[in-house]
Amino acid sequence: MMKACDVVTANKLLLDIIKTNLSGEALNWVEAWEATPDQINGLGKAFVMAPRKTGKAIVQPSVLQLAALEDAGLANVSQWSIDRLFRVWLLGNLPATAQDKLYAAIDQLFLSAEMNEAVALYSALPFLPFPAIWAKRCAEGIRSNIGSVLEAIMENNPYPAQYLDEAAWNQLVLKAFFTEKNINLIVGLDERDNLELALTLTDYAKERWAAGRKVNPQLWRLVGKFTNEEIFEVLKTGLQHYDQVEQRAIALAVAASDYEPAKDYIDTFPELKAVLAEGSLSWDKF
């Protein structure tokens, strides 16, 4: 099940990781900011200065720190740079008061952000005060053509699944396939599946086949349980390609459905019937 983010605990954990990855003047600067009385007014300057103050080294969290973040409903930050981590903590630690003032300050950062700043801003969405007010900004970010920005939104980020409406969520998933992101890293993927998304993805699969391209096998994970007569015809096309990976993915998807004609059709493929009976297939293997 998708776990809600414990923001207070998460911000404490982020600060702990920051402090164990900094020393000297950089650590002093972070601690001075921590004690700053009016952080909203000083936000823009601190956010922009972060790389010069903290450096850009990749953080090295301990096993215990990573486990604690996971328990708090957050992702592995071990590939983040220290300035990205600091910026995320900086934003998440702002006081949850004066909503309009806080929104204006953070929104200005979005409007003026260069690439690395945008990555930090979208990474910070699960941590921000008044999280629901950022849903529109998140949906707008999905239209970006910058790979690292899309990854910050799509991968290891619990915010989209918790706050995007169905249309925006479906757009995110479709674009993740279109831009070849790591589908396994989309938080809440199975919990947010829906019929409209399944139909959209089957249309996308047909377009891929028509262009002579393969389909990411993870796509069928989001289609299977919605199998109906229309979707079944698309699944049959995929099975007739005789690509073992695609066939096995479709078979695993059909196994999650209640559509008996599709299950009966899978049984006409001895290898697929056998591998399903073994129980050896899982989406982690695709």
Side-chain angles (χ1 to χ4, degrees):
M1 289 294 293
M2 188 170 49
K3 184 185 292 186
C5 172
D6 180 346
V7 175
V8 174
T9 299
N11 282 323
K12 290 179 180 178
L13 292 169
L14 293 185
L15 182 59
D16 182 54
I17 296 171
I18 291 166
K19 289 186 173 182
T20 57
N21 279 266
L22 289 179
S23 59
E25 291 184 7
L27 181 57
N28 291 338
W29 182 74
V30 171
E31 291 177 339
W33 170 261
E34 192 180 5
T36 299
D38 190 356
Q39 293 184 340
I40 294 179
N41 280 337
L43 175 63
K45 183 177 180 181
F47 187 84
V48 171
M49 288 179 62
R52 282 175 281 168
K53 294 294 186 177
T54 66
K56 299 181 180 181
I58 301 301
V59 296
Q60 298 181 343
S62 69
V63 173
L64 289 177
Q65 287 171 329
L66 290 176
L69 279 175
E70 184 176 356
D71 287 342
L74 294 160
N76 189 323
V77 299
S78 57
Q79 298 303 310
W80 288 17
S81 62
I82 186 64
D83 59 309
R84 176 181 177 182
L85 189 68
F86 172 78
R87 281 169 162 164
V88 169
W89 172 81
L90 174 76
L91 295 165
N93 200 54
L94 293 170
T97 57
Q99 178 177 324
D100 291 346
K101 182 178 180 181
L102 184 141
Y103 180 87
I106 296 178
D107 195 55
Q108 183 57 47
L109 295 179
F110 273 107
L111 293 173
S112 60
E114 49 82 37
M115 182 184 70
N116 291 324
E117 292 172 350
V119 167
L121 284 161
Y122 286 110
S123 300
L125 289 176
F127 303 87
L128 294 179
F130 315 108
I133 66 176
W134 305 105
K136 182 179 179 182
R137 178 61 67 187
C138 181
E140 290 172 352
I142 298 166
R143 295 198 289 269
S144 173
N145 292 318
I146 302 174
S148 58
V149 172
L150 289 175
E151 288 161 10
I153 298 169
M154 296 173 176
E155 299 180 1
N156 290 321
N157 191 336
Y159 185 92
Q162 291 172 4
Y163 292 100
L164 290 183
D165 62 25
E166 185 174 285
W169 172 258
N170 290 353
Q171 182 188 21
L172 180 151
V173 175
L174 179 62
K175 188 156 186 177
F177 280 106
F178 187 78
T179 57
E180 300 183 345
K181 298 297 179 281
N182 190 333
I183 303 302
N184 276 327
L185 297 183
I186 300 177
V187 178
L189 188 66
D190 297 311
E191 291 87 346
R192 289 292 309 266
D193 59 2
N194 59 84
L195 176 59
E196 189 61 35
L197 176 60
L199 294 171
T200 299
L201 291 176
T202 54
D203 286 341
Y204 173 66
K206 289 188 289 186
E207 291 173 5
R208 296 280 296 180
W209 290 332
R213 297 176 180 176
K214 291 189 175 183
V215 172
N216 185 328
Q218 290 284 346
L219 180 146
W220 306 112
R221 169 183 181 176
L222 302 173
V223 170
K225 77 179 185 182
F226 300 100
T227 301
N228 54 24
E229 184 176 359
E230 177 184 354
I231 290 175
F232 179 38
E233 291 303 314
V234 181
L235 297 180
K236 283 197 292 187
T237 301
L239 289 167
Q240 291 161 5
H241 286 162
Y242 298 104
D243 176 285
Q244 187 185 68
V245 172
E246 187 162 53
Q247 284 185 327
R248 289 187 171 195
I250 291 173
L252 185 58
V254 169
S257 80
D258 295 321
Y259 193 71
E260 291 302 324
K263 291 178 178 290
D264 292 341
Y265 190 71
I266 292 295
D267 286 344
T268 66
F269 295 79
E271 190 270 342
L272 297 179
K273 184 178 180 180
V275 77
L276 285 177
E278 290 170 7
S280 59
L281 283 183
S282 71
W283 292 113
D284 292 337
K285 295 185 177 181
F286 292 103

